[in-house]
């Protein structure tokens, strides 16, 4: 019993998979278009994030310059303090210089790491844009092929339908000709019967044999008239 149930469940899973594959195959173009739209949206977000990182890198560069400028200015102050014999003041200024240089160094390291990420992200974005453009072109090719296939199938259907119509037309024409032939035979038979009943067919046969009773009667009348004229 368990084996039977297991087979039934397996068959059901197989049916679901087949149904899912059929849906995917039937809606392939629509699914691909939606996937490309999703990719475009994700790519747009990636560009926005990349722009934010580039802005952060620019901000870090300004902070580094500020710390470096401050350190340079403090160095001038320290030299003046040393020249004035203010050793303690010069030391205090030197401590400030160390702070500026340390912050500039830390910011520089952070910016260098950020720049590496930016370079990597730029490369990935460029590749994604190229791949997306390639897929867009492929989608157009696929859609064109799909239209060609549908048109070809429609043409085949029309041709098959036309062949069926022509075959039916041929049968109809043959039936018309057969009906006309039967009508001609009927009319011929009717005319033949009419001649037989009226004796017209016999007259035609005699005339065909050179025996024309009507013509003989005419000839007899002419002969009689000619004979009468000869005896006044």
């Amino acid at each position: 019993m368990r084996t039977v149930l297991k087979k039934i469940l397996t068959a059901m899973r197989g049916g679901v998979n087949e149904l899912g594959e059929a849906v995917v195959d039937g809606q392939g173009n629509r699914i691909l278009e939606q996937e490309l739209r999703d990719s475009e949206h994700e790519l747009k977000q990636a560009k926005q994030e990349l722009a934010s990182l580039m802005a952060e890198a620019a901000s870090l560069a300004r902070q580094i310059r500020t710390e470096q400028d401050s350190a340079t200015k403090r160095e001038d102050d320290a030299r003046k303090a040393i020249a004035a014999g203010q050793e303690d003041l010069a030391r205090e200024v030197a401590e400030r210089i160390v702070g500026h240089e340390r912050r500039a160094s830390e910011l520089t390291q952070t910016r260098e790491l950020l720049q590496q990420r930016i370079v990597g992200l730029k490369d990935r974005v460029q590749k994604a844009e190229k791949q997306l453009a390639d897929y867009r072109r492929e989608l157009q090719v696929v859609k064109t092929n799909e239209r060609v296939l549908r048109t070809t199938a429609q043409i085949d259907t029309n041709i098959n339908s036309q062949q069926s119509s022509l075959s039916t037309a041929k049968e109809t024409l043959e039936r018309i000709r057969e009906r006309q032939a039967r009508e001609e035979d009927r009319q011929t038979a009717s005319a033949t019967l009419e001649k037989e009943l009226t004796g017209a067919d016999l007259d035609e046969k005699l005339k065909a044999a050179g025996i024309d009773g009507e013509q003989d009667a005419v000839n007899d009348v002419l002969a009689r008239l000619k004979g009468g004229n000869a005896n006044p």
Side-chain angles (χ1 to χ4, degrees), residues 53-71:
L53 292 178
M54 293 174 67
E56 181 66 21
S59 176
L60 288 173
R62 286 193 299 272
Q63 294 178 47
I64 292 169
R65 285 195 299 271
T66 298
E67 295 295 337
Q68 290 173 342
D69 292 342
S70 296

Side-chain angles (χ1 to χ4, degrees), residues 49-179:
E49 293 173 359
L50 178 59
S52 297
L53 292 178
M54 293 174 67
E56 181 66 21
S59 176
L60 288 173
R62 286 193 299 272
Q63 294 178 47
I64 292 169
R65 285 195 299 271
T66 298
E67 295 295 337
Q68 290 173 342
D69 292 342
S70 296
T72 300
K73 182 178 181 302
R74 292 305 180 186
E75 286 179 359
D76 292 338
D77 293 339
R79 291 190 184 94
K80 292 177 181 179
I82 292 172
Q86 300 289 329
E87 187 69 24
D88 292 338
L89 181 59
R91 179 175 293 277
E92 184 178 351
V93 174
E95 290 175 354
R96 296 285 183 89
I97 293 172
V98 170
H100 288 306
E101 290 178 345
R102 182 180 295 114
R103 285 191 292 274
S105 177
E106 292 173 351
L107 291 171
T108 299
Q109 291 178 0
T110 301
R111 185 175 182 277
E112 288 176 351
L113 292 175
L114 183 58
Q115 282 296 116
Q116 292 177 4
R117 290 192 59 192
I118 289 173
V119 171
L121 287 174
K122 279 185 177 180
D123 183 63
R124 291 174 62 184
V125 167
Q126 290 174 352
K127 289 181 179 178
E129 284 185 326
K130 182 180 182 301
Q131 191 174 32
L132 184 60
D134 291 340
Y135 283 147
R136 277 293 180 191
R137 286 191 293 270
E138 288 295 328
L139 176 61
Q140 291 301 319
V141 172
V142 168
K143 292 173 71 174
T144 300
N145 289 340
E146 191 71 22
R147 286 195 296 270
V148 171
L149 291 174
R150 285 200 302 268
T151 302
T152 302
Q154 185 61 45
I155 291 174
D156 290 340
T157 300
N158 292 340
I159 290 176
N160 292 334
S161 177
Q162 182 188 32
Q163 292 297 329
S164 177
S165 298
L166 290 176
S167 177
T168 303
K170 181 180 179 181
E171 293 177 359
T172 302
L173 179 60
E174 290 176 351
R175 290 173 60 186
I176 292 173
R177 288 175 175 172
E178 184 179 354
R179 179 180 58 79

Side-chain angles (χ1 to χ4, degrees), residues 209-223:
I211 303 172
D212 190 346
E214 183 68 23
Q215 189 63 37
D216 290 343
V218 171
N219 291 334
D220 290 343
V221 171
L222 289 175

